[in-house]
Amino acid sequence: MKPVNAVITKIVDETPTIRTFYFDTSFEPVPGQFVMVWIRGVDEIPMALSYDNAITVQKVGHATSALFELEEGDSVGIRGPFGNGFDVKKGHIVLVTGGLGAAPLAPLAEKAGASGIKVTTLLGAKTKDELLFRERFEAVGEVRVATDDGSIGKHGYVTQLLEDAKNYSQLYCCGPEIMMKKVLDKVVPSKAQFSLHRYIKCGIGICGACCVDGLRVCKDGPVFSGDILKRTEFGVYRRNECGERIKV
Amino acid sequence: MKPVNAVITKIVDETPTIRTFYFDTSFEPVPGQFVMVWIRGVDEIPMALSYDNAITVQKVGHATSALFELEEGDSVGIRGPFGNGFDVKKGHIVLVTGGLGAAPLAPLAEKAGASGIKVTTLLGAKTKDELLFRERFEAVGEVRVATDDGSIGKHGYVTQLLEDAKNYSQLYCCGPEIMMKKVLDKVVPSKAQFSLHRYIKCGIGICGACCVDGLRVCKDGPVFSGDILKRTEFGVYRRNECGERIKV
Amino acid sequence: MLSITLTGLKLKNPLMLAAGIMGTTGGSLKRVAESGAGAVVTKSIGLEPKSGHSNPSMVEVDCGYLNAMGLPNPSYKNFQEEIDTAKEGDVPVIASIFGGCSLDFSEIASALRADAFELNVSCPHAHGYGSEIGTDQALVEDITRAVKDAVKVPVWVKLTPNVTDIKSIGLAAEHGGADAVVAINTIRGMAIDIESGYPILGNKFGGLSGRAIKPVAIKCVYDLYETLDIPVIGVGGISDWRDAVEFIMAGAQAVEIGSAVGNNINIFNDISSGMEAFLEEKEWTLDDIYGVAHEV
Amino acid sequence: MLSITLTGLKLKNPLMLAAGIMGTTGGSLKRVAESGAGAVVTKSIGLEPKSGHSNPSMVEVDCGYLNAMGLPNPSYKNFQEEIDTAKEGDVPVIASIFGGCSLDFSEIASALRADAFELNVSCPHAHGYGSEIGTDQALVEDITRAVKDAVKVPVWVKLTPNVTDIKSIGLAAEHGGADAVVAINTIRGMAIDIESGYPILGNKFGGLSGRAIKPVAIKCVYDLYETLDIPVIGVGGISDWRDAVEFIMAGAQAVEIGSAVGNNINIFNDISSGMEAFLEEKEWTLDDIYGVAHEV
Ligand SMILES: Cc1cc2nc3c(=O)[nH]c(=O)nc-3n(C[C@H](O)[C@H](O)[C@H](O)COP(=O)(O)OP(=O)(O)OC[C@H]3O[C@@H](n4cnc5c(N)ncnc54)[C@H](O)[C@@H]3O)c2cc1C
Ligand SMILES: Cc1cc2nc3c(=O)[nH]c(=O)nc-3n(C[C@H](O)[C@H](O)[C@H](O)COP(=O)(O)OP(=O)(O)OC[C@H]3O[C@@H](n4cnc5c(N)ncnc54)[C@H](O)[C@@H]3O)c2cc1C
Ligand SMILES: Cc1cc2nc3c(=O)[nH]c(=O)nc-3n(C[C@H](O)[C@H](O)[C@H](O)COP(=O)(O)O)c2cc1C
Ligand SMILES: Cc1cc2nc3c(=O)[nH]c(=O)nc-3n(C[C@H](O)[C@H](O)[C@H](O)COP(=O)(O)O)c2cc1C
Ligand code: FES
Ligand code: FES
C-alpha cells in the first residue's frame, strides 16, 4: 500500500513534550498496531495509533521535531496499520506503561473496558506533567501512578508498583526496554504481552531491520508474549540502523 | 489470464472435415463466446465454444491440421472465454447457419430452447455430409436445410430459405461473411445478430488486429447487431494479418 | 483546463493513444479519438506489409501483458487512407514509423501526411528493428536527423528502457533534432507454460506492458526530464487518472495510454474527468504539477 | 526429490532466501533456514557500518515493491557471529558482499567464513556500489577474479537487469571465474506521491521487486542459460511453486525468493510441497524440467 494522505484535523498538547495529532482518516486498528508516518521531505517513522485516527508523539529528534512544526490542515503520508496488536484476554488485566508506552495501551484499556474486562493501570512517567492519558485509563478502572522524581504517586519506577502480578489474568506492557525487561522478570511470561520498539525500515516484514533474533517487530509484533521473548535477545541488546548490536 | 491446460477427453467426428474436441475443463461460456486455442509449438487460433467444454473444428490450414493430429489425453492451452456472445431475445427466433457457423449457434439453440423460446433453424452446408449439429437443432425446434450441391434439402444457399424474416423476434446468423451480408440485406438490421470472423491476434481488445472499422471483433464482438454493422465495412472488406484491406 | 500545446500541436488534453493499440485501422483510431483522447498514435508502420510473429502474440501476466506482435502492419504504401480516416476523429494523428536504418525512416516519413511522427526505435521483439537500433546512440541521432530533414512536422523519438542508460539515448535523439522523446516502450520479458515447458509467446519472448512497468517508466521520465531540454512524453502502465498525474509530476508533458485501453476504451474520458476534479480540488493547474517532483 | 548440488553445495531443495531479506541478523537467517529454505543468503555486507538511505525506504506498488534501503549493514567486522548463528539453521549460508572495487570485495571475502559468496554488483540505488559497477564488464570480471583468488568456496555473481545486454555481464563473471550467476537484482523504478509531488522513497528512486518483475527475470535467466556454461540462479517475483517451476524451466538450477517472504515466511515449505506434488503428478524429476523451455 502506498502512503495515504492524512490531513491533520486537530492537535492536542498532552504534556509539555507530547502532542496528539488527529487525522481526517480512521485506520481502524487493533489496539497496539502502528503506522508509518511520512513527514514528507524529512523521514518516515513508526508510531502507535493512540486513537483510531490519531498518533501521540514525543519530540525526540529530527522527524518528531518536523512533525511538531505541522499545523492543522497540513498533511502527512501514512502507511498501515501494521503489526499484530494486543490479544485481549478476559478477566482482570493490568496495564503497565512507561512514558509514551501509554499511547498503544490507552486504546487497549478502552476496548477492554467496553467489553466488561476489569482494567488496572500502572502509569509511569518521569514527572507529574509527563503522565500520559491518565484520564483515559481512569475512565475504565483503577490507576496507580509512579514518577521518577516523585512529583506525584510513588517515587520511583512504575515496575515497583507491580507486586501482585499473579492476581491478573494478563499483563500488557509498553515502555522503555529496560523497564519492560524488569517487568518480564517479575511475571509468568506466558501471561504477559509486551509491545516492542525496534528500528523500523520497511514496516512490512521484508527487510529484517527490526528483528529481535528471528522475530520481526513490524510484522510478527510489535506485541509479543513474554514466553517468546524469554528465549530472545530482548532486554539484552537491540540493533542500530546498521544492524550493529547495541547493549540495551 | 495465462493459457489454461485443457486435456482432450474425447474426439468426435462430426463430418468428414469437422471434429469436436472435448476438454476436461468447462469454460462456462455465454453462447457465441470464443476461446484462443494454443496448439503448442504451432499457433494459437480462435474457436467458438460449441459446448461448455468443447470446440468444433474444421481442418483448413496448419494449426487446425496440427489439432487434428492430437489424440485423447493430449492437451492444448486455452485462453478465454472471450467476447460478448449472443443476446438471447424472447419470442420466436431464427438461426441461420452456414457450415461451421453452426458451432456457436448450437449452444444458443439449446439455451433458448431450454428457456421456452421457439427456435427455427435454417441449416446450410456445402453438401449433405457436411451438415453440422442437425440433431442438436432438431431437438429444440424446426430445422430447414439447404446444401450447395442439393444433396439434401433445398438446392442452393441457406439464405434462400429466409423469406419470412419479419415473422421472427430475432435472427441469429453465423457463416461465411458473404452469406451473412446477404442475410443482413434481407432483414430489419436491429432485429438480427451476426457472429463475425476476423483475424485475431491478442483476443483481448488491445492490438486492434480484428477491427471492423472501430469495432473489435474479439472484445466488442464477435456478435454484433445488424444496425451497427450496416454502418461499417462489414461485407465489403476485411483485413489480413498485415492489416491490409482485402475485398470480401 | 487540460489543454496543452505539445511540440506545437494543440491537444484538448494530454492523454494520447499509445502506438500499437487499436492503431492499424483508420476506423479504430477514429473511434479512440471520439472516445476522448487528446491525440492518437498509429501502429508502427514500415516499408513493406508485415504479418508479424505467429500466435500467441499476447498473453496476460501478473499486473500486465507480454506481447510479441512483431510489428504487423500494412506498409506505409497502404496507410495514408487510414490516417485520413483517423483524422475524421478531429484530434492530431501521429504516425508511428519504424525501419532498419535512416533511409527506411525517411522514405516512410516523406511519403505520409500526419500531424507528427513518432519514431519507434524501441520495440523489443522485432529482429533488426526497434530496440536493436534504439540502443545505439549514433543510429538514433542519425535516424532522428534524417526524419527531421524529410518532414516539416514535429518528430518524436520513442525510447526503450532496455538500456544501461536511457538518458544518453534521449540526448542522442535531442542532438538529432527531436522535438520530444516518448518513454517507455515495453520491457523485455518472457513467460513459460509450466504444463509443457513451452515459452508462451510464438516469438518466445516479448515486451512487458501494463501496470507492472509503471515504476520503471516513471523513473525513466524523471531522468529524461532532468537531462533533456525537449519535452518528455510518458507511457507505461497508466490505468487511471492518478497514474497520469504521477507521470506529469515526474516530468511528462503529456502521456500515452496503451494496455489499459483494452478493458476500458472510455479511459481517456475517465482520466480527463478524474484529473480535472483533482486539479480543481487542489486548486492547481496542469502547469503547477508539471515536473513538480523535481522541485519538492 | 528436490535435493540438488549447486556449485558443489548440497541443498535439500533449490529454494533459497534472497539477499537483503531478513538477512541482517543471524537469528532471522536461522529462522528462515528452519522454515524450509534450502540455503540462505545474507544481507549484502560491506567494509564499514552503513545506516542506509533515510525512510521511506520501501513502499508497496502495484504487484510489487520499490525499495531503496541503501545497503544498511553492520560491516563484515561485526558479521561473522551472525553467520555463525545462521549456520545453526543447518543449511548453507551464503554471504552476500558488496564494495566499490575489487580490493574491497576481496578484503571482505577473505575475512568471512561462509559456504559461498554472492557478489552484489547490482543494487540499483547505492551510489558508487552495486549496479554502478555491475554494468561494467571489466570491473565485474576483475572483482570476480579477486574474490575467487581470495576464497576457496564457490563464488556467485549477482547481476543487474538494468543493462542493455545482461549476457555480456554474465560472460564477464564467467571469465572472472564465477561458479554461478544470480539473476536478477531489482529493476530501477520510482513512485511519486501525487498528493504532494514528493518522490516517495527517501532516496527518490529505488529498485522494483516482486511479482511485477517476474517476466523480466525469466527472460534474463533464459538468455543467461543459453550463453553461459556456469549455472544460473533465478530470482525475481517468485511467489508460489508455479513461479519456481517456471524459473527452473527457463534454465535456473535453483532460485531465490525475496519480497514474497514478507507475507509468508513459510513460503519455502509451501513451494517445496507444491513442486513435489507437481513433479509427482507429471512423473517428472527436477532434472527433467531444468532448462526444458530451451528444448521444446
Ligand atoms: C512500533 C513502534 C511504535 C512507536 N510508537 C510511538 C508513539 O506512539 N509515540 C512516539 O512518540 N514514538 C513512538 N515510537 C518511537 C518513534 O518511532 C521514534 O521516537 C521516532 O522514530 C523518532 O524519530 P526522530 O527522527 O524524531 O528521532 P531521531 O533523531 O531519528 O532518533 C531518536 C530515536 O528514535 C529512533 N528512531 C528513529 N527512526 C526510527 C525508526 N524508523 N524506527 C524506530 N525508531 C526510530 C532512533 O533509533 C533513536 O533512538 C514507536 C516506535 C516503534 C518501533
Ligand atoms: C471468433 C472466431 C470464432 C471461430 N470459430 C471457429 C470454430 O468454431 N470452428 C472452426 O473450425 N473455425 C473457427 N474459426 C476460424 C478459425 O479460427 C480458423 O479456421 C483457424 O484460425 C485456421 O487456422 P489454420 O492455421 O488451420 O489456418 P491457416 O492456414 O493459418 O489459414 C486459414 C484461414 O484461417 C484464418 N486464420 C488463421 N489464423 C487465424 C486467427 N488467428 N484468427 C482468425 N482467423 C485465422 C486465415 O486468415 C485463413 O483465412 C473462428 C474464427 C473466429 C475469428
Ligand atoms: C499489443 C501492443 C502492441 C504495441 N505495438 C507498438 C508499436 O507498434 N510501436 C510502438 O512504438 N510501441 C508499441 N507498443 C508499446 C506501447 O505503445 C507502449 O509503449 C507500452 O505498451 C507501454 O504502455 P502501456 O503500459 O500503457 O501499455 C505496443 C504495446 C502493446 C501492448
Ligand atoms: C528490501 C530489499 C532489500 C534487498 N537487499 C539486497 C541486498 O542487500 N543485496 C542484494 O544483492 N539484493 C538485495 N535485494 C534484492 C533481492 O535479493 C532480489 O534480487 C529482488 O528483490 C528480486 O527478488 P523478489 O522479487 O523475490 O523480491 C533486496 C530486495 C529487497 C526487496
Ligand atoms: S522493518 Fe523491515 S522487516 Fe521489520
Ligand atoms: S485481436 Fe487484438 S484487439 Fe482483437
Side-chain angles (χ1 to χ4, degrees):
Chain A
M1 150 222 310
K2 289 199 188 173
V4 165
N5 193 50
V7 179
I8 299 170
T9 54
K10 191 168 67 172
I11 301 178
V12 172
D13 283 330
E14 305 285 358
T15 81
T17 65
I18 300 175
R19 274 186 201 164
T20 297
F21 297 82
Y22 290 84
F23 302 114
D24 61 348
T25 318
S26 167
F27 297 94
E28 286 158 30
V30 175
Q33 283 191 304
F34 71 97
V35 290
M36 294 298 289
V37 181
W38 175 33
I39 306 108
R40 297 182 179 103
V42 182
D43 202 347
E44 187 196 43
I45 53 176
M47 285 288 154
L49 285 162
S50 56
Y51 296 92
D52 283 2
N53 64 336
I55 57 173
T56 298
V57 184
Q58 185 157 39
K59 188 167 157 176
V60 298
H62 77 298
T64 47
S65 300
L67 203 46
F68 268 53
E69 266 156 40
L70 298 184
E71 295 171 6
E72 285 170 22
D74 287 342
S75 68
V76 294
I78 291 194
R79 296 190 292 137
F82 293 131
N84 55 359
F86 293 105
D87 182 12
V88 189
K89 302 280 188 187
K90 298 249 168 291
H92 181 182
I93 64 175
V94 61
L95 316 185
V96 185
T97 86
L100 247 303
L105 286 170
L108 172 68
E110 286 162 356
K111 187 179 168 190
S115 55
I117 296 165
K118 198 171 167 200
V119 182
T120 295
T121 305
L122 314 182
L123 195 65
K126 289 224 170 76
T127 182
K128 183 180 174 198
D129 286 351
E130 291 295 338
L131 279 176
L132 184 62
F133 291 146
R134 180 171 184 167
E135 319 72 43
R136 292 178 73 187
F137 292 106
E138 280 175 348
V140 297
E142 191 199 345
V143 174
R144 274 176 268 157
V145 167
T147 49
D148 298 1
D149 65 357
S151 50
I152 190 171
K154 187 169 179 87
H155 188 165
Y157 296 121
V158 68
T159 45
Q160 297 173 266
L161 295 174
L162 184 72
E163 278 142 25
D164 47 355
K166 54 192 163 313
N167 297 347
Y168 300 103
S169 56
Q170 191 85 187
L171 178 147
Y172 298 87
C173 182
C174 187
E177 189 152 331
I178 307 213
M179 173 270 227
M180 292 200 283
K181 182 63 164 66
K182 283 204 183 114
V183 172
L184 176 57
D185 290 341
K186 272 191 165 185
V187 297
V188 181
S190 64
K191 285 176 72 182
Q193 295 174 34
F194 299 83
S195 180
L196 268 56
H197 284 190
R198 278 294 181 273
Y199 193 80
I200 307 285
K201 279 187 92 78
C202 72
I204 48 181
I206 296 181
C207 74
C210 63
C211 282
V212 177
D213 286 328
L215 303 168
R216 295 163 297 180
V217 167
C218 72
K219 182 91 184 181
D220 307 308
V223 178
F224 295 97
S225 165
D227 49 349
I228 286 178
L229 292 179
K230 270 283 179 194
R231 286 170 270 140
T232 68
E233 66 199 33
F234 171 70
V236 184
Y237 58 83
R238 54 180 188 85
R239 308 275 178 168
N240 65 8
E241 295 88 328
C242 310
E244 293 170 289
R245 296 178 191 215
I246 308 287
K247 279 247 166 311
V248 169
Chain B
M1 153 219 313
K2 287 197 186 173
V4 165
N5 193 50
V7 179
I8 298 170
T9 53
K10 193 169 68 171
I11 300 177
V12 173
D13 284 331
E14 305 286 358
T15 80
T17 66
I18 299 175
R19 274 186 202 164
T20 297
F21 297 82
Y22 291 84
F23 302 113
D24 62 348
T25 318
S26 167
F27 297 94
E28 286 159 29
V30 174
Q33 283 191 305
F34 71 98
V35 289
M36 293 300 288
V37 181
W38 176 31
I39 306 106
R40 295 179 178 106
V42 182
D43 202 346
E44 187 195 45
I45 54 176
M47 285 287 155
L49 284 162
S50 56
Y51 295 92
D52 281 3
N53 64 337
I55 56 172
T56 299
V57 184
Q58 185 157 41
K59 189 167 155 174
V60 299
H62 76 298
T64 48
S65 301
L67 202 46
F68 268 54
E69 267 154 40
L70 298 184
E71 296 171 6
E72 286 169 22
D74 288 341
S75 69
V76 294
I78 292 194
R79 295 191 293 140
F82 293 132
N84 54 359
F86 293 107
D87 181 12
V88 189
K89 301 280 188 184
K90 300 248 167 290
H92 181 183
I93 65 174
V94 61
L95 316 184
V96 186
T97 86
L100 249 302
L105 286 170
L108 171 68
E110 286 162 357
K111 184 179 170 191
S115 55
I117 295 166
K118 197 170 167 200
V119 182
T120 295
T121 305
L122 314 182
L123 195 65
K126 289 225 169 75
T127 179
K128 185 181 174 195
D129 287 349
E130 291 294 338
L131 279 177
L132 183 63
F133 291 145
R134 180 171 183 167
E135 320 70 43
R136 291 177 74 186
F137 293 106
E138 279 174 351
V140 297
E142 189 198 348
V143 174
R144 274 176 267 158
V145 167
T147 49
D148 296 2
D149 66 358
S151 50
I152 188 171
K154 185 167 181 93
H155 187 163
Y157 296 121
V158 67
T159 44
Q160 296 173 271
L161 296 173
L162 184 73
E163 278 143 22
D164 47 356
K166 55 192 161 314
N167 298 346
Y168 300 102
S169 57
Q170 191 84 184
L171 178 147
Y172 298 87
C173 181
C174 186
E177 188 151 333
I178 306 213
M179 171 271 227
M180 293 201 281
K181 181 65 161 77
K182 281 203 183 115
V183 172
L184 176 56
D185 290 341
K186 271 190 165 186
V187 297
V188 181
S190 64
K191 287 177 70 184
Q193 295 174 34
F194 299 83
S195 180
L196 267 55
H197 284 192
R198 277 292 182 275
Y199 193 78
I200 307 285
K201 281 187 91 74
C202 72
I204 47 180
I206 296 182
C207 75
C210 64
C211 282
V212 178
D213 286 327
L215 304 168
R216 294 162 299 179
V217 168
C218 71
K219 183 91 184 181
D220 306 310
V223 179
F224 294 97
S225 164
D227 50 349
I228 286 178
L229 293 178
K230 270 283 179 192
R231 284 170 272 139
T232 69
E233 65 200 34
F234 171 71
V236 183
Y237 58 82
R238 56 182 186 82
R239 306 276 177 167
N240 66 9
E241 295 87 328
C242 309
E244 293 169 291
R245 297 178 189 215
I246 309 285
K247 277 247 166 312
V248 170
Chain C
M1 71 190 289
L2 295 181
S3 64
I4 59 161
T5 304
L6 177 66
T7 64
L9 302 179
K10 294 214 181 312
L11 269 56
K12 68 180 177 217
N13 65 49
L15 313 169
M16 306 186 277
L17 177 71
I21 313 299
M22 291 183 70
T24 319
T25 72
S28 53
L29 288 162
K30 183 177 159 203
R31 180 179 175 198
V32 174
E34 288 167 352
S35 308
V40 294
V41 182
T42 71
K43 176 73 193 167
S44 294
I45 302 300
L47 276 185
E48 298 300 333
K50 209 165 149 21
S51 61
H53 299 310
S54 71
N55 279 356
S57 48
M58 188 156 187
V59 62
E60 196 176 347
V61 293
D62 290 342
C63 262
Y65 301 92
L66 278 172
N67 90 78
M69 293 288 151
L71 293 173
N73 81 92
S75 134
Y76 76 88
K77 296 160 198 155
N78 297 307
F79 204 67
Q80 189 61 48
E81 58 180 324
E82 310 292 346
I83 295 178
D84 294 343
T85 305
K87 284 293 292 176
E88 294 168 15
D90 245 3
V91 302
V93 175
I94 292 89
S96 171
I97 64 175
F98 74 94
C101 60
S102 59
L103 285 178
D104 292 359
F105 275 91
S106 56
E107 172 177 342
I108 298 165
S110 335
L112 290 176
R113 285 180 315 282
D115 295 304
F117 287 93
E118 183 179 285
L119 313 187
N120 176 1
V121 292
S122 44
C123 176
H125 48 77
H127 313 294
Y129 300 112
S131 65
E132 294 189 12
I133 55 178
T135 55
D136 181 324
Q137 294 176 46
L139 262 175
V140 168
E141 183 170 339
D142 192 38
I143 288 168
T144 310
R145 185 166 296 119
V147 178
K148 276 301 284 183
D149 288 348
V151 303
K152 297 220 172 62
V153 295
V155 174
W156 307 346
V157 178
K158 184 158 177 194
L159 304 177
T160 172
N162 301 301
V163 289
T164 306
D165 178 19
I166 198 171
K167 300 188 292 287
S168 62
I169 310 292
L171 279 170
E174 184 169 289
H175 293 153
D179 298 281
V181 295
V182 182
I184 58 175
N185 211 314
T186 56
I187 304 180
R188 266 188 309 248
M190 181 170 185
I192 292 164
D193 175 46
I194 64 164
E195 298 289 343
S196 65
Y198 273 92
I200 296 179
L201 293 174
N203 184 53
K204 295 199 162 89
F205 69 95
L208 184 63
S209 66
R211 294 193 299 142
I213 70 171
K214 194 186 66 172
V216 180
I218 292 281
K219 169 71 170 134
C220 290
V221 167
Y222 185 90
D223 286 351
L224 290 164
Y225 177 91
E226 297 245 302
T227 311
L228 305 184
D229 293 326
I230 54 176
V232 182
I233 296 163
V235 52
I238 295 174
S239 59
D240 65 23
W241 65 263
R242 286 177 198 80
D243 299 331
V245 168
E246 193 177 350
F247 269 94
I248 294 170
M249 287 179 158
Q253 201 167 90
V255 299
E256 295 180 0
I257 303 169
S259 306
V261 174
N263 286 325
N264 179 14
I265 205 159
N266 213 34
I267 191 165
F268 301 95
N269 282 328
D270 290 352
I271 294 190
S272 304
S273 34
M275 278 179 68
E276 276 175 4
F278 173 75
L279 293 177
E280 242 161 68
E281 199 207 304
K282 292 277 195 180
E283 298 181 15
W284 285 341
T285 66
L286 210 50
D287 224 47
D288 289 336
I289 66 170
Y290 172 49
V292 72
H294 300 262
E295 289 153 33
V296 289
Chain D
M1 74 191 284
L2 295 182
S3 65
I4 59 161
T5 303
L6 177 66
T7 64
L9 303 179
K10 294 215 181 313
L11 269 55
K12 68 181 180 218
N13 66 49
L15 313 170
M16 306 187 277
L17 178 71
I21 313 300
M22 290 182 69
T24 318
T25 74
S28 53
L29 288 161
K30 184 178 159 203
R31 179 178 178 200
V32 174
E34 288 168 353
S35 308
V40 294
V41 182
T42 72
K43 176 72 194 170
S44 295
I45 302 300
L47 276 187
E48 299 300 334
K50 209 164 145 32
S51 61
H53 299 311
S54 71
N55 278 353
S57 50
M58 189 156 185
V59 62
E60 194 175 350
V61 294
D62 290 341
C63 261
Y65 300 92
L66 277 174
N67 91 77
M69 293 288 150
L71 294 172
N73 81 92
S75 135
Y76 75 90
K77 297 159 198 158
N78 297 307
F79 205 66
Q80 189 61 48
E81 58 179 326
E82 310 293 346
I83 295 179
D84 295 342
T85 305
K87 284 294 293 176
E88 294 167 16
D90 245 3
V91 302
V93 176
I94 292 89
S96 172
I97 63 175
F98 74 94
C101 61
S102 58
L103 286 178
D104 292 359
F105 275 91
S106 55
E107 172 177 343
I108 299 167
S110 336
L112 290 176
R113 287 180 314 281
D115 295 303
F117 287 93
E118 183 179 287
L119 314 187
N120 177 1
V121 292
S122 42
C123 176
H125 48 76
H127 314 294
Y129 300 112
S131 67
E132 292 188 13
I133 57 179
T135 54
D136 181 324
Q137 294 177 48
L139 262 176
V140 168
E141 184 171 340
D142 191 37
I143 288 168
T144 310
R145 185 166 296 119
V147 177
K148 276 302 285 182
D149 288 347
V151 302
K152 296 221 172 62
V153 296
V155 174
W156 307 347
V157 178
K158 184 155 177 197
L159 305 177
T160 172
N162 300 304
V163 289
T164 306
D165 178 20
I166 197 171
K167 300 188 292 287
S168 62
I169 310 290
L171 279 170
E174 184 169 290
H175 292 152
D179 297 282
V181 294
V182 183
I184 57 174
N185 211 314
T186 55
I187 305 179
R188 265 189 308 248
M190 181 170 186
I192 292 163
D193 174 46
I194 63 164
E195 297 289 343
S196 66
Y198 273 92
I200 296 178
L201 294 174
N203 184 53
K204 294 199 162 89
F205 69 96
L208 185 64
S209 66
R211 295 194 298 144
I213 71 171
K214 194 185 67 173
V216 180
I218 292 281
K219 167 71 169 137
C220 290
V221 167
Y222 185 91
D223 286 352
L224 290 164
Y225 177 92
E226 299 244 302
T227 310
L228 304 184
D229 294 325
I230 55 177
V232 182
I233 296 163
V235 50
I238 295 175
S239 59
D240 65 22
W241 64 264
R242 287 178 196 80
D243 299 331
V245 168
E246 191 177 350
F247 269 93
I248 294 170
M249 288 179 157
Q253 203 167 86
V255 299
E256 295 179 359
I257 303 169
S259 306
V261 174
N263 285 324
N264 178 14
I265 205 159
N266 213 33
I267 191 165
F268 300 96
N269 282 326
D270 290 352
I271 294 189
S272 304
S273 36
M275 277 178 70
E276 276 176 2
F278 174 74
L279 292 176
E280 242 161 67
E281 199 206 303
K282 291 278 195 180
E283 298 180 16
W284 284 340
T285 65
L286 211 49
D287 224 48
D288 289 337
I289 66 170
Y290 173 48
V292 71
H294 299 262
E295 289 151 32
V296 290

